[in-house]
């Protein structure tokens, strides 16, 4: 049994903002004694939650789980940076250029930090230990979190042969065969000697652990009533099962060594997605909840969609103000950090133009006529752009002085609304503020076709106060994902018609007139992924789809 020097244990207890109430020996405290202390367990669990908001495992700034997921989505084709890339600290994830070594190490450093946190708690309860209901709750959460961490880091680190005809020829080939290699396994049983020589295992072996941990989580969390969405519960466990089987089914015929029964894996993906929906009791976001300028994608308690989330409190100044806070990265309206608003995060133009005007999710991105609308634009006509002989934009309703300007005084606060329906965006600042921020002078050279996001809003709408606006929640799992997993699984188990029905079920909550008009299996799959991409833009879900379907 491990023994901890008392000074260290006391320091840990203080760091967890609670103290151990029981009487311990004066020089050390045992694992078994920590395990029996509710305050100590609570403190250790709270430390796990807090690392999602900010941790600095490789001495390169306080990274958050949300920013890591956003960074990964920079590797997809739907999330673009229309602003000044000189401040784009996530640029290498867009182009696969990891000359800045630290950024390529972020996923490993971050996820193994998370893994250590849950391993430390699991280690307090060796196999055969009798546990009470409270301890079961802690154990179940830790097994669920560890399954999540290995599920994601394995997919991130799995090598895939590059297929892009432009980029692939420029990349160095690996010096050894990396096929089906995942990541090293570190659990509560891994000794320091083993950890010092711990090679990568196969992806299949990583998922042996994922599925084993989920079985443990399911056992311990059955009957567990959580107090907050930062805590995984049984619905989340089923959601993680659905994610795991979705991944395994997709690779059953692409190099898998063990998980090769494709039909069974697709069936399990569907079944667990359905169980997650039913068990969670969650429901898809409504239009008002999605577009809420005060609570939009920043408040875990303002809606019934989020199954799992992490939270940043206003008292956590480090997490609120770090460059790697989603509010700071994604905040189009904010002035917090140039690595966020000055770079800009927008939807790719062809994604925006393909998405139906009847789909209210389209209101998440600023249309071109928000920045430029000709005084000669006529209702119902195609978007009109006028330039003079030198190529400069002219006749702009919103700026009669200088369309490149970053001087707010040159910009109007007026806005006639989107051309198709007159919809006006709800802002926490003003139209003139956003326009001067996203100006050509500030590096937005694709102006006015920027499609900047208004999806992720600052906490309480505080766009100009980082200590308040940065105190956001970030979704780690939403129930909508389960509907899309069902649609994709149905395609492979029941065929095109069933998949279209399942897809229409979720998309019609966003566009009541939606009908999937695709007829082939390939086209229906592409439509499922397109709609899912729109739904989870910027949340870190799309990266995993893009990679597994390469």
């Amino acid at each position: 049994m491990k023994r901890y020097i008392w000074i260290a244990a006391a320091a840990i207890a203080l760091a967890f903002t609670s103290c151990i109430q029981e009487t311990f020996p004066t020089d050390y405290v045992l694992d078994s004694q920590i395990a029996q202390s509710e305050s100590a367990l609570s403190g250790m669990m709270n430390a796990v939650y807090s690392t999602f908001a900010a941790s600095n495992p490789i001495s390169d700034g306080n990274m958050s789980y949300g920013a890591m997921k956003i960074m990964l989505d920079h590797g997809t084709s739907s999330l673009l940076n229309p602003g000044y890339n000189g401040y784009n600290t996530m640029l290498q994830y867009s182009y696969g250029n990891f000359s800045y070594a630290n950024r390529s190490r972020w996923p490993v450093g971050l996820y193994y930090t998370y893994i250590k946190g849950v391993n430390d708690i699991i280690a307090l309860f060796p196999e055969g230990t009798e546990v009470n209901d409270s301890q079961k709750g802690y154990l179940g959460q830790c097994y669920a979190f560890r399954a999540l961490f290995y599920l994601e880091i394995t997919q991130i680190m799995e090598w895939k042969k590059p297929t892009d005809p432009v980029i692939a020829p420029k990349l160095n080939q690996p010096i050894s065969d990396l096929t089906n290699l995942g990541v090293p396994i570190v659990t509560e049983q891994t000794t320091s000697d083993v950890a010092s020589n711990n090679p990568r295992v196969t992806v299949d072996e990583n998922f042996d652990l994922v599925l084993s941990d989920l079985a443990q989580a399911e056992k311990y969390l059955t009957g567990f009533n959580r107090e907050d969405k930062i805590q995984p519960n049984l619905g989340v466990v089923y959601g993680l099962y659905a994610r795991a089987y979705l991944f395994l089914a997709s690779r059953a015929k692409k190099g898998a060594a063990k998980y090769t029964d494709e039909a069974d894996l697709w069936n399990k993906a569907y079944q667990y997605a359905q169980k997650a929906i039913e068990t969670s009791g969650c429901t898809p976001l409504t239009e008002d909840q999605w577009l809420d300028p005060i609570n939009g994608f920043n408040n875990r308690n303002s809606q019934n969609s989020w199954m799992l989330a992490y939270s940043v409190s206003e008292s956590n100044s480090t997490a609120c103000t770090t460059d790697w806070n989603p509010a700071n990265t994604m905040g189009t309206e904010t002035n917090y950090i140039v690595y966020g608003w000055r770079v800009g995060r927008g939807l790719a133009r062809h994604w925006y133009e393909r998405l139906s005007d009847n789909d209210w999710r389209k209101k998440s991105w600023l249309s071109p006529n928000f920045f430029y609308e000709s005084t000669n634009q006529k209702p119902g006509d195609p978007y009109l752009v006028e330039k003079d002989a030198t190529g400069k934009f002219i006749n702009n309703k919103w700026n009669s002085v200088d369309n490149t300007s970053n001087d707010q005084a040159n910009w109007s606060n007026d806005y006639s609304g989107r051309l198709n329906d007159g919809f006006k965006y709800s802002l926490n600042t003003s139209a003139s503020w956003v326009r001067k921020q996203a100006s050509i002078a500030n590096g937005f050279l694709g102006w006015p076709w920027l499609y900047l996001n208004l999806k992720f809003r600052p906490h309480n709408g505080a766009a100009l106060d980082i200590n308040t606006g940065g105190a956001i929640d970030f979704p780690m799992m939403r129930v909508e994902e389960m509907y899309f997993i069902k649609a994709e699984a149905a395609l492979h188990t029941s065929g095109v018609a069933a998949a279209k029905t399942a897809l229409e079920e979720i998309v019609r909550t966003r566009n009541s007139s939606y009908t999937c008009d695709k007829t082939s299996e390939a086209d229906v799959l592409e439509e499922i992924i397109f709609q899912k991409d729109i739904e989870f833009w910027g949340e870190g879900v799309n990266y995993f789809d893009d990679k597994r379907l390469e």
Side-chain angles (χ1 to χ4, degrees), residues 425-445:
Y425 303 100
S426 296
L427 302 175
N428 290 301
T429 51
S430 65
S432 63
W433 170 264
V434 176
R435 287 164 177 159
K436 75 95 174 176
Q437 293 284 84
S439 61
I440 294 174
N442 281 338
F444 290 80
L445 303 183

Side-chain angles (χ1 to χ4, degrees), residues 60-271:
D60 190 30
N62 284 290
M63 172 62 79
S64 68
Y65 177 85
M68 183 73 252
K69 299 297 285 292
I70 293 167
M71 189 181 294
L72 292 173
D73 264 10
H74 279 64
T76 68
S77 54
S78 62
L79 194 157
L80 299 182
N81 306 125
Y84 179 58
N85 274 324
Y87 288 127
N88 193 350
T89 52
M90 298 182 176
L91 186 62
Q92 51 271 62
Y93 279 80
S94 298
Y95 298 112
N97 175 15
F98 293 106
S99 57
Y100 188 3
N102 274 5
R103 298 289 149 74
S104 63
R105 293 163 50 211
W106 262 124
V108 172
L110 204 65
Y111 279 90
Y112 279 99
T113 295
Y114 299 155
I115 289 166
K116 183 184 185 303
V118 295
N119 280 347
D120 287 346
I121 297 176
I122 295 172
L124 298 175
F125 302 94
E127 188 175 352
T129 302
E130 186 175 342
V131 292
N132 60 37
D133 287 344
S134 176
Q135 293 164 340
K136 287 179 182 178
Y138 292 122
L139 272 174
Q141 290 183 66
C142 288
Y143 278 115
F145 274 133
R146 193 167 72 181
L148 168 66
F149 303 149
Y150 275 109
L151 194 158
E152 293 187 345
I153 189 60
T154 301
Q155 293 181 75
I156 293 169
M157 300 308 295
E158 182 188 16
W159 183 77
K160 290 287 194 75
K161 184 176 180 179
T163 57
D164 186 283
V166 176
I167 296 177
K170 301 177 182 179
L171 300 177
N172 294 328
Q173 294 301 306
I175 60 176
S176 59
D177 185 10
L178 301 178
T179 303
N180 197 31
L181 281 183
V183 297
I185 289 178
V186 180
T187 71
E188 76 284 0
Q189 297 178 358
T190 304
T191 65
S192 57
D193 288 341
V194 172
S196 66
N197 184 23
N198 192 15
R200 298 170 69 173
V201 301
T202 67
V203 172
D204 298 77
E205 289 173 293
N206 282 136
F207 273 79
D208 285 343
L209 177 63
V210 168
L211 295 177
S212 173
D213 278 355
L214 289 176
Q216 290 288 86
E218 183 177 9
K219 178 180 71 174
Y220 286 122
L221 293 179
T222 296
F224 170 69
N225 294 313
R226 68 180 179 184
E227 299 175 352
D228 196 291
K229 289 182 181 180
I230 63 176
Q231 300 170 316
N233 62 4
L234 201 56
V236 172
V237 172
Y238 293 144
L240 291 172
Y241 266 124
R243 285 181 178 176
Y245 284 119
L246 174 72
F247 171 74
L248 292 172
S250 299
R251 70 188 302 274
K253 294 182 178 179
K254 300 178 182 178
K258 177 179 180 180
Y259 297 97
T260 57
D261 189 340
E262 188 176 9
D264 179 62
L265 294 167
W266 281 121
N267 273 318
K268 286 177 177 175
Y270 185 97
Q271 292 164 6

Side-chain angles (χ1 to χ4, degrees), residues 300-442:
R300 66 193 186 281
N301 297 318
S302 66
Q303 34 63 38
N304 189 41
S305 159
W306 295 14
M307 297 169 63
L308 183 67
Y310 79 83
S311 182
V312 179
S313 68
E314 289 188 39
S315 62
N316 189 344
S317 177
T318 297
C320 285
T321 60
T322 177
D323 297 350
W324 308 103
N325 179 328
N328 305 340
T329 301
M330 301 296 263
T332 295
E333 298 176 90
T334 68
N335 67 342
Y336 302 156
I337 291 173
V338 292
Y339 306 115
W341 69 265
R342 186 77 184 272
V343 175
R345 269 78 192 181
L347 180 67
R349 180 175 178 175
H350 53 292
W351 255 255
Y352 183 88
E353 292 180 346
R354 173 176 168 179
L355 185 60
S356 170
D357 288 340
N358 295 324
D359 191 317
W360 49 254
R361 293 174 298 179
K362 196 168 186 174
K363 299 172 182 178
S364 304
W365 299 278
L366 293 170
S367 63
N369 83 309
F370 177 83
F371 297 100
Y372 172 90
E373 185 175 325
S374 170
T375 55
N376 296 311
Q377 178 74 53
K378 295 181 179 179
D381 282 2
Y383 184 47
L384 175 64
V385 174
E386 295 185 286
K387 298 181 180 180
D388 63 18
T390 67
K392 292 182 178 180
F393 291 87
I394 58 174
N395 300 330
N396 187 2
K397 291 180 182 178
W398 322 132
N399 190 326
S400 60
V401 181
D402 179 5
N403 285 298
T404 70
S405 174
N406 59 3
D407 182 348
Q408 188 174 358
N410 290 337
W411 291 97
S412 170
N413 278 322
D414 292 337
Y415 180 49
S416 55
R418 294 195 309 177
L419 292 179
N420 65 302
D421 59 5
F423 169 77
K424 295 184 178 181
Y425 303 100
S426 296
L427 302 175
N428 290 301
T429 51
S430 65
S432 63
W433 170 264
V434 176
R435 287 164 177 159
K436 75 95 174 176
Q437 293 284 84
S439 61
I440 294 174
N442 281 338

